[in-house]
Amino acid sequence: ALAARLSESVSGLEAYSNHSNEFSQHAWISVLAEELLNNRGESIVAAGLDRDSDVHATAAAINLALDNAGSTISYLELPHADAGNQNERLAEVSRGLSAGEYQTAVILGANPVFTAPSDLNFAEALNAVPVSINLSSHYDETARLCDWHVNKANFLEAWGDGYSYNGARSIIQPMIQPLFEGLSDVEFLNTVVNGQTTPGYDLVRETWEQFTPEGLDNTWDRVLHDGLQEGTSFTEATVSLANGFNESATQALAQSTPVDEQALELVMKVDSRVYDGRFANNGWLQELPDSITKITWDNVAQISSATARRLGIPEERDFGDLDAHKIRITAGGHTVEIPAWVIPGQADNSITVTYGYGREDIGRVADGVGTDVYPLRTTQNLLYHSDVQVELTDDRYVIASTQDHSSMEGRALVREASMEEYRDHPTFAPDMVYIPGEIDGTGKSGYTLFNPQDYPENEPQWGMTIDLNTCIGCHACTIACQAENNIPVIGKREVHREREMHWIRVDRYFSGPDEANPQVLHQPVPCMQCELAPCEQVCPVAATTHSDDGLNQMTYNRCIGTRYCANNCPYKVRRFNFFNYTKEYLTTGEDPEIVQMAMNPDVTIRFRGVMEKCTYCVQRIQRGKIESKRETDSKKPADGSVKTACQQACPANAIHFGDLTDTNSQISQIKRNERNYMMLGELNTRPRTSYLAKLRNPNPNMA
């Protein structure tokens, strides 16, 4: 529909000129077309990775017609890429294996027995081969059927090389020696081809001799230092529409069928945490709440409220009752039963499922977790089915979701406005609540029962700001904090009991009058590091106190587990160790040394019965203060030299951290922003962590 609208003003899209579909009458099509035409050569139209070739061809044609090619888009010649359809190649190989055309099958790091389209029957095809060899990091479904299983080295243990997206060459340097004597891909392939074992280091250096006319040693050291080889890139390609494009596009459009608005479709996607199943044995990822559903340790069938009513699926749940109704989905000749989960924003008559779950005999973390929906994927329907039968079963299924945990509803927690509202009232965010006795608009109150904290002048004062405008709710901060601070995994049963241990959670909020198309807002919530901390006032043993640099610190070996502090915390950010999770890791068959390798030696391992929470990564702060004292004789590190784990991992740079006593520091400048506000500032806790309110700027003609 967009291409048809643009064809009225630009050439190259004639194939779409007389085409219309269910989107053609939408007002936003004309608005979007007008914006693209007004920004020719400065716009870009992108198709999703999971779209088919016709959609990508249409997007490419639009970009060419708008003169974007060579401006906002670069087409590059890929010397290592095969133009063939890899899905068709896999089907050919599977048929060849079944027909006895191959004597040996060598599989590198893949698990086709689990992930290949179900109609290929890859397990039967693999059993038909006389000799099969599998290089894999896990003894998985494919490895169990192979004659030989070779341990694969982790990518952090292996030498290698590669290209960046634009073709800059790089050398991959391992961080450690292989822990379990695993082989990298290049070492394994060299053994298969040449019959001898050669270290990956030697193989990579041998390859790089052809790229180093000025001498291998000089280039090698320089690339290892810089990360990329300067002056290398792929050759830029000159592209144009193929001669037969209009004919093939017209034919494809003529063969397309109108969408039946009453038919159910099934959309299948890789999971955002365990991917295609390769990370299913990672407890950190299994316990990480989904960004939208907030579900852990499971996958579900996401449906809209209207579709649920149509299928007779009850939506009502009592608070804390997260038993989901199971539905039976039949598509492509296969049937699976999976819990249904009603979620705002899901398209009507469309059901979304994620694969990568439902594995067996792969490891104690992944076994029996979730539902295997790979049987629904076929070579002709890798992404979706348009002919789906769904029926409600009598079974119920317990879901561990964190959406009702740490509830703080009914308060002004997240604040957002349109650009027009912001221009009329720039300080809308801090003005939404009254802070008693606020002094000069600083956010500090003169009304308090407690004496103000007296901080030493030579100590830094740490603070944090989280920008809700840039946060995308990816939970990278949660995982980074878990890795940095030795936060344990507790399992589905304990998460269901609201006992998850994450020190920073990411709350998700829906807003707007339309349940079918709501606005979504994410808000990371760590410890606020309050200056007038309610937790400190009620601890009977002074286990939680204030440090000289403004941190609400924890003394673990003083805590007796009264949990008064958690009850008194309005932000619900304190976690209680109900069990000795770390000891459990060390006594359930795992190698203690391997478990300890996953621990940060700079952070205390907490024991059962103590309270724990975010510390602003105090171990990093102390390291920065020590280095600064040694180098400059000052306890105040340079601005930006200390980064918290969540800040370092955030891909959107939404988290800012630094010294508040430095008026020129980035954190001080950000806190002076008009959008800066304190969560629950009206309680007069004076949190050191604040937020920048979210602004929305939709096109008024499209909103």
Side-chain angles (χ1 to χ4, degrees):
L2 178 62
R5 176 64 183 83
L6 290 170
S7 68
E8 301 172 7
S9 304
V10 296
S11 59
L13 300 174
E14 290 78 11
Y16 301 92
S17 58
N18 296 320
H19 180 72
S20 63
N21 58 25
E22 63 272 21
F23 295 103
S24 299
Q25 302 307 315
H26 282 267
W28 59 267
I29 288 289
S30 297
V31 176
L32 181 57
E34 182 180 357
E35 285 205 343
L36 289 172
L37 290 170
N38 291 336
N39 293 275
R40 295 180 63 169
E42 299 177 345
S43 59
I44 184 170
V45 176
L49 185 65
D50 54 355
R51 299 299 92 194
D52 59 29
S53 57
D54 290 336
V55 175
H56 280 273
T58 302
I62 291 175
N63 283 317
L64 282 172
L66 294 174
D67 301 323
N68 291 334
S71 177
T72 60
I73 300 172
S74 296
Y75 291 94
L76 305 172
E77 300 283 358
L78 303 183
H80 60 282
D82 193 325
N85 187 311
Q86 299 303 312
N87 295 321
E88 294 176 358
R89 295 282 177 84
L90 179 61
E92 293 172 2
V93 168
S94 181
R95 289 191 292 267
L97 293 173
S98 300
E101 298 176 6
Y102 303 104
Q103 295 300 309
T104 304
V106 180
I107 303 173
L108 271 69
N111 187 13
V113 171
F114 180 64
T115 63
S118 57
D119 57 327
L120 295 183
N121 296 317
F122 200 89
E124 296 180 8
L126 191 61
N127 282 328
V129 183
V131 179
S132 53
I133 308 171
N134 173 248
L135 176 71
S136 177
S137 59
H138 288 74
Y139 193 67
D140 53 26
E141 293 84 352
T142 300
R144 285 199 295 270
L145 296 183
C146 288
D147 301 307
W148 293 87
H149 168 60
V150 181
N151 176 35
K152 181 181 179 181
N154 187 277
F155 74 96
L156 296 175
E157 302 172 328
W159 284 95
D161 52 15
Y163 294 103
S164 69
Y165 279 107
N166 68 346
R169 285 191 290 266
S170 177
I171 299 173
I172 301 171
Q173 185 177 16
M175 298 182 66
I176 59 173
Q177 291 283 354
L179 294 176
F180 304 107
E181 300 181 356
L183 295 180
S184 67
D185 289 344
V186 294
E187 290 171 331
F188 177 72
L189 280 176
N190 177 71
T191 303
V192 171
V193 173
N194 298 321
Q196 60 184 9
T197 302
T198 304
Y201 175 82
D202 296 336
L203 294 172
V204 176
R205 283 184 64 92
E206 180 182 340
T207 300
W208 272 74
E209 287 180 352
Q210 60 182 303
F211 304 133
T212 56
E214 70 276 20
L216 176 61
D217 290 334
N218 292 334
T219 301
W220 180 270
D221 292 341
R222 187 163 58 252
V223 174
L224 285 180
H225 176 273
D226 297 343
L228 297 171
Q229 186 177 16
E230 186 178 0
T232 58
S233 64
F234 293 139
T235 303
E236 193 157 336
T238 302
V239 297
S240 60
L241 291 178
N243 291 332
F245 170 77
N246 280 324
E247 290 78 5
S248 60
T250 303
Q251 184 179 6
L253 292 170
Q255 293 174 349
S256 64
T257 56
V259 175
D260 183 355
E261 294 185 358
Q262 297 304 313
L264 288 173
E265 73 168 3
L266 177 69
V267 178
M268 298 168 287
K269 295 179 175 292
V270 295
D271 191 76
S272 62
R273 294 161 295 173
V274 304
Y275 197 57
D276 59 357
R278 68 186 67 180
F279 303 125
N281 243 345
N282 189 319
W284 286 351
L285 296 176
Q286 288 280 13
E287 198 154 291
L288 185 69
D290 181 85
S291 295
I292 300 298
T293 66
K294 313 305 291 183
I295 290 174
T296 69
W297 293 98
D298 263 309
N299 59 334
V300 295
Q302 300 178 39
I303 60 176
S304 70
S305 179
T307 304
R309 290 192 294 270
R310 172 185 168 189
L311 297 175
I313 302 173
E315 296 181 63
E316 295 76 14
R317 297 190 186 93
D318 295 330
F319 184 81
D321 178 15
L322 296 178
D323 287 359
H325 294 264
K326 274 194 168 185
I327 58 175
R328 186 177 296 113
I329 302 176
T330 302
H334 295 273
T335 299
V336 299
E337 292 188 5
I338 186 172
W341 195 259
V342 178
I343 192 76
Q346 176 73 16
D348 290 341
N349 301 322
S350 180
I351 301 174
T352 300
V353 296
T354 59
Y355 43 83
Y357 291 86
R359 306 186 68 179
E360 299 294 341
D361 299 325
I362 181 64
R364 71 188 186 100
V365 173
D367 287 352
V369 175
T371 304
D372 181 13
V373 298
Y374 269 115
L376 300 177
R377 297 181 76 238
T378 63
T379 51
Q380 298 301 316
N381 297 93
L382 288 171
L383 306 174
Y384 66 92
H385 284 275
S386 57
D387 183 18
V388 182
Q389 288 75 46
V390 179
E391 57 181 319
L392 180 65
T393 71
D394 295 328
D395 295 336
R396 300 285 292 271
Y397 187 86
V398 176
I399 294 292
S401 172
T402 64
Q403 67 180 22
D404 292 329
H405 299 184
S406 307
S407 176
M408 297 188 294
E409 283 88 347
R411 298 169 176 175
L413 305 175
V414 291
R415 303 175 192 178
E416 58 179 324
S418 67
M419 282 298 295
E420 184 177 353
E421 293 170 332
Y422 172 66
R423 293 189 184 101
D424 293 339
H425 188 185
T427 58
F428 75 95
D431 291 347
M432 284 184 68
V433 297
Y434 170 67
I435 300 177
E438 186 175 352
I439 301 174
D440 299 328
T442 61
K444 291 190 175 182
S445 169
Y447 299 159
T448 173
L449 295 175
F450 308 99
N451 293 326
Q453 188 78 20
D454 187 17
Y455 297 112
E457 292 184 0
N458 64 333
E459 290 280 356
Q461 299 301 312
W462 303 103
M464 177 179 286
T465 297
I466 302 174
D467 191 348
L468 302 183
N469 227 26
T470 55
C471 175
I472 59 175
C474 66
H475 285 81
C477 55
T478 304
I479 287 294
C481 178
Q482 188 162 20
E484 174 74 20
N485 295 294
N486 301 329
I487 298 174
V489 173
I490 65 174
K492 177 179 177 178
R493 183 184 66 178
E494 298 303 311
V495 173
H496 186 60
R497 295 176 176 178
E498 303 189 26
R499 292 175 173 174
E500 68 274 5
M501 297 297 295
H502 296 136
W503 286 5
I504 179 172
R505 68 179 189 269
V506 182
D507 291 340
R508 179 266 296 130
Y509 297 94
F510 294 117
S511 63
D514 187 1
E515 182 185 17
N517 188 27
Q519 299 283 2
V520 182
L521 195 147
H522 301 279
Q523 184 178 43
V525 185
C527 173
M528 298 290 117
Q529 307 293 341
C530 306
E531 290 192 42
L532 297 179
C535 55
E536 295 178 11
Q537 319 305 331
V538 296
C539 181
V541 292
T544 174
T545 56
H546 235 65
S547 70
D548 286 341
D549 47 1
L551 300 186
N552 177 234
Q553 60 190 4
M554 286 295 306
T555 307
Y556 296 124
N557 59 0
R558 188 182 293 169
C559 177
I560 60 174
T562 64
R563 292 187 284 167
Y564 295 164
C565 57
N567 291 333
N568 218 37
C569 175
Y571 304 100
K572 310 301 180 186
V573 291
R574 287 178 166 266
R575 302 289 177 257
F576 183 69
N577 248 311
F578 281 91
F579 298 100
N580 195 340
Y581 302 111
T582 305
K583 181 179 179 181
E584 186 176 323
Y585 292 160
L586 301 176
T587 58
T588 52
E590 302 287 353
D591 188 336
E593 291 187 3
I594 299 302
V595 175
Q596 291 172 21
M597 286 183 180
M599 303 291 185
N600 183 352
D602 294 333
V603 179
T604 303
I605 302 294
R606 282 79 60 192
F607 43 86
R608 178 183 180 179
V610 304
M611 192 63 66
E612 55 186 76
K613 65 171 190 66
C614 162
T615 65
Y616 273 172
C617 290
V618 66
Q619 67 280 0
R620 295 187 175 204
I621 290 175
Q622 293 302 326
R623 187 186 309 126
K625 290 168 68 174
I626 291 171
E627 292 176 355
S628 178
K629 179 68 174 177
R630 186 175 61 243
E631 296 173 2
T632 66
D633 198 32
S634 171
K635 288 185 178 180
K636 296 186 177 183
D639 186 33
S641 61
V642 177
K643 292 183 180 292
T644 62
C646 57
Q647 174 192 18
Q648 186 179 20
C650 180
N653 291 325
I655 301 176
H656 306 278
F657 176 79
D659 181 10
L660 298 175
T661 64
D662 180 1
T663 57
N664 295 320
S665 66
Q666 185 185 41
I667 187 67
S668 295
Q669 296 178 40
I670 291 175
K671 281 187 177 288
R672 292 194 292 267
N673 189 291
E674 296 166 330
R675 293 187 290 127
N676 187 67
Y677 75 95
M678 296 180 293
M679 181 193 289
L680 302 183
E682 65 272 25
L683 299 183
N684 201 22
T685 59
R686 300 186 192 174
R688 286 285 184 91
T689 298
S690 60
Y691 295 88
L692 295 182
K694 182 160 184 84
L695 298 180
R696 299 190 186 275
N697 189 28
N699 186 315
N701 296 319
M702 295 176 65

